[in-house]
Amino acid sequence: MSNNLFSNLKGMHKDQLSNLERLGYKQMTEIQAQSLPLALAGRDVRAQAKTGSGKTAAFGIPLLNKLNPRFFGVQALVLCPTRELSTQVAEELRKLARYQPNIKIVVLTGGVSIGPQIGSLEHGAHVVVGTPGRICDHLRKETLVIDQLETLVLDEADRMLDMGFTDDIHRIATYTPNTRQTLLFSATYPDDIEKLSHELQNNPQTVSVESLHTTNSIDQRFYLCGRGEKEATLAKALATFPVRQSVIFCNTKQVVMDVTAALREQGYIAHGLHGDLDQKERDQIYVQFRQGSSNCLVATDVAARGLDVDDLPLVVNFDLPRDSDVYTHRIGRTGRAGKDGIAISLTTESEAYKREAIEEKQQKDIPLIDAAELADVTTPPLRPETVSLCIGSGRKNKLRPGDILGALTSAGGIDGKSVGKIDVLDFVAYVAVARPVATQALQHLQKSRIKGKAIKVRKV
């Protein structure tokens, strides 16, 4: 495994290697080991890799390696399908860039006002991360200039094409130099990805990580029930596998809303993610789930893009997807990094063709169990261990995670061990605190000041 050490890569800055060590990057993941030598050498790369494979570092390290910190023009552009994924990628890039002083990384996505973004760009940026639609808006307004671009990254390219961004991606590429390096990452390789690669890349080198997990790490089960019995079957399944968190996939917005309401009636802290929510609502739901303060995230596939939760124990397909590749992507959110996971699918008699396609894709037989074998629900659901508090100030107000931690643990506050994840967004921040001390933490923050100012805080 010694050949998988970052220190063996040619062209890496010593300070970057030290930074990677501090961040806990010990050995390269498979996608990093395959793509980094090529990308660091300046080659165009077309990589098949899923969320959780380490792909952000696979494109982040090379693009940061080429930056000239003294030039405040945009040198790298990362295109992502959603605002949530853009934010996560930018956060990871900021960590990877710590070895270089004064690197500015700007997020440009829809769902928020364009004014502050224009103001931020006026002060220059080295790296831009964003969604194709909003990037095109800035190019039209001439508030974004990418004619000096060194690196173009297409992250989750298949989803961007699924969401109708093909024309936008091509339009963006016309604003960039032909000499740029283009790195394309996609979970699946449909024909339109091949076409996109051919049109935008120069003799790309193809690398592939077929699977994030061994089939042994995920316990997959089909539960057979009638269409009208699905909500009752879901309740029994969640009681049979009592985990604190699960993601439940549905095929339509209406089913998401129906399932979320049913779970709340049963005592779960459940939230639904679908296209009708505004960006603030989406952000709050994502953060609550990532911070461990909600039980169930019920979502459509597009809405769940960008959700990256460590150690997710259970995935449920309330509806079987129409595509076996989508099934593989859904269940790949559990059973990561050698940990065990459970993937439950509720299915009807008429869906035999879907089950067969999934089993062929998985190259294994998946048990088909009559839902009547599940025990009736007798125990109340587990409560999440944390509660999320929302603070009415964010990154644009110069708020840092350390400021929040300091306020929470100041005299009369709570123990630092009771503070969980802290997420600082542009204009708002969220902090997870242990459920038993949530009220105490809320009251303490309401009486506290951060950087000399009183702060608005509420429980979410």
Side-chain angles (χ1 to χ4, degrees):
M1 289 293 287
S2 60
N3 62 338
N4 272 0
L5 298 175
F6 286 96
S7 56
N8 290 336
L9 291 168
K10 292 181 180 178
M12 289 281 285
H13 291 293
K14 288 181 181 177
D15 290 344
Q16 174 65 305
L17 290 172
S18 299
N19 183 48
L20 289 171
E21 192 172 329
R22 283 194 297 272
L23 291 172
Y25 284 77
K26 295 181 173 63
Q27 292 184 325
M28 290 184 281
T29 65
E30 191 175 347
I31 194 64
Q32 291 163 0
Q34 289 190 41
S35 63
L36 277 172
L38 296 166
L40 286 166
R43 303 296 300 270
D44 282 9
V45 175
R46 181 175 61 185
Q48 183 173 14
K50 298 177 176 63
T51 299
S53 60
K55 60 184 171 66
T56 305
F59 62 72
I61 290 171
L63 73 83
L64 292 170
N65 223 40
K66 291 196 291 185
L67 292 186
N68 175 4
R70 292 182 297 279
F71 173 52
F72 268 81
V74 178
Q75 299 165 59
L77 172 63
V78 183
L79 297 179
C80 302
T82 65
R83 182 189 181 197
E84 292 77 22
L85 184 62
S86 299
T87 301
Q88 288 183 19
V89 167
E91 287 174 356
E92 188 66 20
L93 290 178
R94 289 187 183 106
K95 293 175 186 175
L96 292 169
R98 283 176 185 164
Y99 74 102
Q100 294 171 294
N102 302 319
I103 295 299
K104 185 175 178 183
I105 298 170
V106 172
V107 179
L108 303 177
T109 62
V112 294
S113 171
I114 199 170
Q117 295 178 353
I118 293 172
S120 187
L121 287 169
E122 285 174 350
H123 297 96
H126 297 97
V127 181
V128 167
V129 185
T131 49
R134 181 50 62 93
I135 297 296
C136 282
D137 291 341
H138 282 283
L139 291 171
R140 278 193 296 271
K141 291 176 179 290
E142 298 184 353
T143 50
L144 174 66
V145 178
I146 52 175
D147 59 3
Q148 301 292 308
L149 199 74
E150 295 275 349
T151 312
L152 174 65
V153 179
L154 308 179
D155 191 14
E156 299 201 0
D158 51 345
R159 286 298 163 183
M160 286 195 285
L161 299 193
D162 286 346
M163 294 166 73
F165 286 134
T166 306
D167 290 344
D168 285 346
I169 292 169
H170 280 97
R171 190 173 300 114
I172 291 163
T174 65
Y175 285 82
T176 67
N178 291 331
T179 54
R180 70 175 190 272
Q181 180 182 25
T182 305
L183 307 176
L184 185 154
F185 287 77
S186 181
T188 58
Y189 265 22
D191 291 342
D192 51 0
I193 287 292
E194 295 281 350
K195 184 171 184 287
L196 184 70
S197 171
H198 177 73
E199 291 167 345
L200 297 186
Q201 294 188 288
N202 177 28
N203 189 25
Q205 302 298 294
T206 301
V207 300
S208 178
V209 178
E210 287 299 327
S211 179
L212 280 183
H213 46 261
T214 65
T215 51
N216 294 333
S217 67
I218 302 179
D219 178 3
Q220 301 177 58
R221 304 177 182 206
F222 291 135
Y223 281 102
L224 190 64
C225 61
R227 185 169 294 279
E229 300 168 351
K230 279 193 171 185
E231 287 184 6
T233 302
L234 175 63
K236 291 180 179 181
L238 291 176
T240 302
F241 302 96
V243 298
R244 290 197 184 274
Q245 285 199 299
S246 60
V247 174
I248 300 163
F249 285 100
C250 306
N251 290 346
T252 67
K253 289 183 288 188
Q254 186 58 52
V255 176
V256 166
M257 292 186 286
D258 293 344
V259 171
T260 303
L263 289 171
R264 286 178 175 174
E265 284 182 13
Q266 293 156 25
Y268 290 95
I269 298 177
H271 294 100
L273 265 180
H274 52 77
D276 286 349
L277 299 176
D278 66 33
Q279 198 59 54
K280 287 182 180 178
E281 291 173 308
R282 290 164 66 89
D283 283 343
Q284 182 168 302
I285 291 169
Y286 271 103
V287 170
Q288 271 186 273
F289 194 74
R290 282 204 304 267
Q291 291 188 345
S293 58
S294 64
N295 292 118
C296 303
L297 184 72
V298 189
T300 56
D301 290 296
V302 170
R305 296 303 290 187
L307 177 72
D308 194 10
V309 178
D310 296 330
D311 199 19
L312 181 68
L314 175 65
V315 169
V316 179
N317 293 300
F318 188 85
D319 298 315
L320 276 183
R322 299 170 185 86
D323 186 330
S324 55
D325 279 337
V326 173
Y327 174 89
T328 301
H329 192 75
R330 286 179 179 182
I331 71 166
R333 294 167 184 274
T334 188
R336 290 182 177 179
K339 295 179 180 175
D340 292 333
I342 305 166
I344 293 169
S345 300
L346 311 186
T347 180
T348 60
E349 288 281 9
S350 63
E351 293 179 310
Y353 70 100
K354 288 185 181 180
R355 296 193 296 271
E356 289 169 7
I358 288 168
E359 288 179 324
E360 184 176 340
K361 183 74 176 179
Q362 297 291 305
Q363 296 184 322
K364 66 183 291 183
D365 292 330
I366 299 173
L368 180 61
I369 305 165
D370 193 317
E373 294 185 24
L374 288 166
D376 287 331
V377 180
T378 55
T379 56
L382 293 171
R383 302 291 284 170
E385 294 178 335
T386 61
V387 171
S388 290
L389 304 180
C390 177
I391 296 166
S393 185
R395 189 183 295 116
K396 298 291 187 182
N397 311 106
K398 309 297 183 186
L399 184 70
R400 298 171 303 172
D403 299 326
I404 298 170
L405 180 62
L408 277 167
T409 57
S410 61
I414 63 174
D415 192 290
K417 292 177 182 177
S418 296
V419 182
K421 292 182 180 178
I422 299 174
D423 291 271
V424 181
L425 309 184
D426 282 350
F427 298 103
V428 72
Y430 296 89
V431 56
V433 296
R435 184 168 291 275
V437 297
T439 300
Q440 179 189 347
L442 175 64
Q443 293 172 347
H444 182 67
L445 280 184
Q446 287 172 335
K447 294 183 291 186
S448 299
R449 302 176 80 83
I450 294 182
K451 294 188 172 178
K453 294 181 179 179
I455 52 171
K456 291 183 179 179
V457 58
R458 61 183 173 84
K459 204 181 284 189
V460 295

